[in-house]
Amino acid sequence: MFADSRRLCNTENIMRYQLTPAAQRAIWAAAQWSHDLSGERIQHRHLLLGLLSEPDTRAAAILGQRKIDTAAVLARWPQSEPAPHSQPPIN
């Protein structure tokens, strides 16, 4: 499953969609959350957690205005548990 996340997050695929560096990092973080929490494919909760990992973005600001933070996502989906993870740079 993690291999699928890595394939999605490789530079070639991301650049095909012309994402900003922050969006690239958010997708990488979503892949990491997916791997760390369940090893399954990236799902909505992983994307939310990935977006929240980039606090200086419009998406994180909008989520914050609606009181959606990492704790809220993890509380909404109890099977998700926080796990330490690093975000390797995307070249």
Side-chain angles (χ1 to χ4, degrees), residues 3 5-6 20 24-27 30-31 34 43 52 54 60 62-63:
S5 301
R6 282 188 166 277
T20 65
Q24 292 174 24
R25 290 188 304 270
I27 290 173
S34 171
Q43 295 185 1
L52 290 166
E54 289 295 317
I62 291 169
L63 291 168

Side-chain angles (χ1 to χ4, degrees), residues 2 10 41 66 68 88:
F2 185 60
N10 76 35
R41 292 179 186 239
R66 287 159 177 73
I68 299 171

